[in-house]
Amino acid sequence: MTAISQERKLLTAIPGPKSQALHARKAAVVSAGVGVGLPAYIERAAGGILVDVDGNQLMDFGSGIAVTSVGNAAPRVVDSVKQQVEDLTHTCFMVTPYEAYVAVAEQLAELTPGSHEKRSALFNSGAEAVENAVKIARTFTGRQAVVAFDHAYHGRTNLTMAMTAKTMPYKHGFGPFASEVYRAPMAYPLRWPGAADKSSETIAAEAFESFVNHVHAQVGETNCAAVIVEPIQGEGGFIVPPEGWLRMVADYCTEHGILLIADEIQTGFCRTGDWFASDHEGVVPDLITTAKGMAGGLPLAAVTGRADVMDSVHAGGLGGTYGGNPVACAAALGAIETMRSENLVGRAREIEALFKHRLEQLRSKYDVIAEIRGRGAMLAIELTAGAGDLTPNPTATAAINAYCHSQGLVTLTCGTFGNVFRFLPPLVAPDHLLNEGLDIIDAAFERVLG
Ligand SMILES: Cc1ncc(COP(=O)(O)O)c(C=O)c1O
């Protein structure tokens, strides 16, 4: 098989004729509920390039939603998976165990925040990990309530839908939802009341006070098993809380015997320029959920946490047929080795500098860009009406995204109001690709708003 050059190449319109034919087949057999952002059907991929069935080479600014951080079909992931799949495909760890599961748990113990004794349990998807983190927290504390935040995204299963904030498309028509889930205001600096005249410290303090009041009045501290937080919110709009807020929430949880669950499914594994986003403020969560970037594209998720908390569950209480499948574990070991040996923490920080410089230039031209935010290679711009009017602008966001797609740049949007344009490139993407993608974004703004 020929190697895939790290360059964008367009041979047809996007999507091309073969992709369109496949999309017609899809409509005939795949549920309409499974939406598709850009219907270019991908045949092969490497690093930051996706090759579609028409031979077009698309540039990837989404990493399959923050999954292929080590690049698509990363060599160490491929080698590790190939070896594993020849040796052993499945036993079910709960029936007859194998080393790869233990090795992944060892890596998680070493890499996640805090030097305390830890345990992990492995699962298939992020939502499954979140569900299990709640089960564990309830067992350990003997309490039921869980507090999540405005704009949160924790998954699409029944319990995680209840924890996810946004109705459309994630919850609409799918209720009733699981009980004992409560919502507190999020520290969202751009949209905090009176933000224009307040310092970041003031916003952090006010948001924390509002959270404390909510828990006290609507839940009761002694009923609360866990507070779950994305240190940088993902689907909700790449919302970065002000410095200090997460630490205050963590300290409050400790004071009241409430477990802090950091949902690092999107932010984890080098994405934000640290191994985990909690590291940025030195916060050590009681439990941390991970998935996505951990296994370089194979389905694997984990709950990692304090040994006393994780071991409070009765034997057989955690598990599942495929959780910690050996092939997915082998992929994770290959991906983690890549992150270490290629210093992807450092690379994420370089990507942040490159993007922020270019995005600031863009913002100086277009006042609809109300904010550039994020850390590492988890970056976004929020689009509004402009001239200080913060009314969300999902129309321009969608048009800019569509133009990028037409040029072979795979981009994503997000946000409660659909007005956040987000960037999640593979951490191994070379500068020339990143700059070319940013040139296309420049052209998209010119086309839509120029
Ligand atoms: C923060 C966060 N939690 C949970 C999930 C759910 O993960 P999955 O789609 O693997 O179930 C996601 C997915 O986007 C996420 O970003």
Side-chain angles (χ1 to χ4, degrees), residues 7-10 14 38 48-49 57-61 354-355 358-359 361-362 365-366 381 396-397 399-412 421 423 431-450:
E7 59 179 344
R8 183 177 65 116
K9 224 189 285 177
L10 298 190
I14 305 291
L38 167 55
I49 293 291
Q57 297 202 172
L58 312 181
M59 200 182 291
D60 188 5
F61 268 19
L354 187 155
F355 266 73
R358 294 284 309 263
L359 294 173
Q361 288 174 341
L362 198 62
K365 286 193 274 180
Y366 300 99
I381 50 183
T397 310
I400 289 164
N401 195 43
Y403 179 81
C404 290
H405 290 181
S406 75
Q407 300 304 302
L409 177 65
V410 182
T411 46
L412 303 168
F421 194 41
F423 312 111
D431 282 3
H432 76 85
L433 266 191
L434 302 177
N435 273 313
E436 193 182 342
L438 285 157
D439 291 343
I440 294 170
I441 290 166
D442 241 346
F445 269 82
E446 178 68 35
R447 171 68 71 100
V448 173
L449 299 163

Side-chain angles (χ1 to χ4, degrees), residues 245-307:
W245 176 83
L246 186 63
R247 164 131 303 288
M248 287 190 272
V249 171
D251 291 346
Y252 169 86
C253 287
T254 305
E255 186 188 334
H256 294 282
I258 299 168
L259 297 182
L260 180 71
I261 305 172
D263 182 346
E264 295 239 19
I265 285 164
Q266 191 153 163
T267 50
F269 285 100
C270 307
R271 176 54 60 186
T272 64
D274 284 290
W275 273 95
F276 295 91
S278 302
D279 291 331
H280 184 74
E281 287 202 41
V283 166
V284 178
D286 299 294
L287 296 173
I288 177 166
T289 53
T290 52
K292 290 189 182 276
M294 170 162 55
L298 270 79
L300 187 69
V303 183
T304 302
R306 280 168 42 192

Side-chain angles (χ1 to χ4, degrees), residues 130 146-149 154 163 226-230 260-263 289:
V130 171
V146 176
V147 175
F149 289 93
H154 298 294
M163 297 159 79
V227 169
I228 182 163
V229 62
E230 298 156 83
L260 180 71
I261 305 172
D263 182 346
T289 53

Side-chain angles (χ1 to χ4, degrees), residues 305-359:
R306 280 168 42 192
D308 57 332
V309 175
M310 296 294 293
D311 285 344
S312 68
V313 180
H314 49 279
L318 304 175
T321 305
Y322 294 112
N325 166 273
V327 182
C329 286
L333 295 172
I336 292 167
E337 196 189 324
T338 306
M339 292 174 209
R340 286 182 191 276
S341 59
E342 297 188 17
N343 181 22
L344 295 189
V345 162
R347 179 61 187 151
R349 291 181 183 199
E350 286 173 8
I351 291 174
E352 173 178 345
L354 187 155
F355 266 73
K356 283 195 168 161
H357 174 68
R358 294 284 309 263
L359 294 173

